[in-house]
Amino acid sequence: MALLYWMRLPALVSSCVTLGLVAHAGGLAGGVGAWCIFCWTFSFIGTLLIFLVETFHLTKYVTEFWVNFPVTFSSYAALLCLFASIIFPHNFIDGQQKYDVHNHLIASEIFSCLATLAYMLEIWVARVESKCYMATARGLLLVCQTYVAGIIFFFISSPVSYTDQAAVRWCMAVYCICFICSAGGIIKIVICNLEEPRWLKHYSLCAAILYFSATIIWPVFKFNSHYPSQIYPSESCQGGVRLCPWGRLVVVSVLTSLNFLLYSFSMCCSSCTSGLENEHQYGGLPDTSTVQVPSPSQQYTSDPGRRLLGDGSRNLRIYQSLNQPNLVMVEPNVIVCNVAFVRQTYLSQ
């Protein structure tokens, strides 16, 4: 974990320098400028908090919570800095006439990209070292799903473009429902340090179906001339540097399709993982010819060749062989099978 600790320094420095350069240049007015500043500020303050907690060894007070929290935050910080790095030059660097301000904004863009790369590298290191759920593919997919939904809210609310048709309001309901469920799953996993909740596996299928309906409905009711719309393509879409209202509708349509793909991929990952777990748990029994049955006098004495797993049902004492960890001995009758099967069948009763 020492490598992961030091990997946070580049992200911390890059986000801090970006904020300093932007504050010195000024001129980030409007909602887009406020959003970019929020992305960099959120990343810097959160990374600084994580760095201080680990520096002063305060993780012992939040052991369960801290297993998944750092990598979850780094995932969101990477996506926020990436989004800010994309929209910032399009809205503020292009067309800037002042030479000094232009140079400061370019430097801000460079350090924002460096912060994005630093957070991505930190996530890659966390996948290798931490072995927590949020560092797995399914955990990162949850983060991406909630983040894409947040970007949809950003583009769909300015200007408001979901009140003209009942079918479009259905799309907005899909975005809200799926966002709340995915965010709730992340919060439960992070706070309780759980593996994937069982309901999330079924939820991915439902969310994929909902997003598929939104993927069809949104472009039909927004880009088809047979249905009246409050927003039409205008001359402003052909000039200028800022994204016009019609372009925002196109972005929402693309992001809806992207989230449908993310939920579909999450559903496939959950199905494959469940199949592998079942195969591992209830796979073929190990091939063995003889098993030493311990004498009654050995049942209550320490044996370096085995360890006691616990007392199962009907006063059965269950041992695990240290030489062959996947073999167990159930007394007084000897049963040779998978350890996970014995834990579920006997020890859970």
Side-chain angles (χ1 to χ4, degrees), residues 54-76:
E54 294 185 347
T55 300
F56 293 101
H57 305 287
L58 301 178
T59 56
K60 59 184 177 182
Y61 299 107
V62 284
T63 305
E64 297 294 323
F65 172 76
W66 208 255
V67 173
N68 288 283
F69 175 74
V71 66
T72 304
F73 171 82
S74 298
S75 302
Y76 279 112

Side-chain angles (χ1 to χ4, degrees), residues 207-227:
I209 296 174
L210 291 175
Y211 260 96
F212 178 75
S213 66
T215 303
I216 302 299
I217 293 173
W218 181 268
V220 167
F221 283 86
K222 283 300 179 181
F223 305 129
N224 195 326
S225 59
H226 294 287
Y227 299 99

Side-chain angles (χ1 to χ4, degrees), residues 261-295:
L261 295 177
L262 290 175
Y263 278 108
S264 300
F265 188 62
S266 179
M267 176 186 63
C268 295
C269 287
S270 298
S271 301
C272 294
T273 305
S274 300
L276 291 175
E277 290 176 353
N278 292 334
E279 181 179 355
H280 175 73
Q281 182 174 359
Y282 301 108
L285 300 181
D287 186 14
T288 180
S289 56
T290 59
V291 177
Q292 293 286 337
V293 181
S295 61

Side-chain angles (χ1 to χ4, degrees), residues 14 26 43 60 76 78 85 89 99 125 144 153 175 194 199 222 259 264 268 298 310 317 319 321 326 340:
S14 298
S43 303
K60 59 184 177 182
Y76 279 112
S85 301
Y99 181 76
V125 174
C144 292
F153 294 145
Y175 303 146
L194 300 175
W199 64 270
K222 283 300 179 181
N259 238 5
S264 300
C268 295
Q298 292 179 328
R317 298 179 64 82
Y319 296 89
S321 172
N326 58 344

Side-chain angles (χ1 to χ4, degrees), residues 13-91:
V13 173
S14 298
S15 56
C16 180
V17 173
T18 303
L19 277 175
L21 290 171
V22 168
H24 180 74
L28 268 69
V32 176
W35 175 256
C36 292
I37 293 176
F38 165 77
C39 293
W40 296 321
T41 304
F42 173 84
S43 303
F44 170 70
I45 294 178
T47 306
L48 179 62
L49 175 64
I50 293 174
F51 191 80
L52 291 176
V53 168
E54 294 185 347
T55 300
F56 293 101
H57 305 287
L58 301 178
T59 56
K60 59 184 177 182
Y61 299 107
V62 284
T63 305
E64 297 294 323
F65 172 76
W66 208 255
V67 173
N68 288 283
F69 175 74
V71 66
T72 304
F73 171 82
S74 298
S75 302
Y76 279 112
L79 293 171
L80 287 172
C81 289
L82 176 63
F83 183 65
S85 301
I86 293 173
I87 65 174
F88 178 73
H90 180 70
N91 287 269

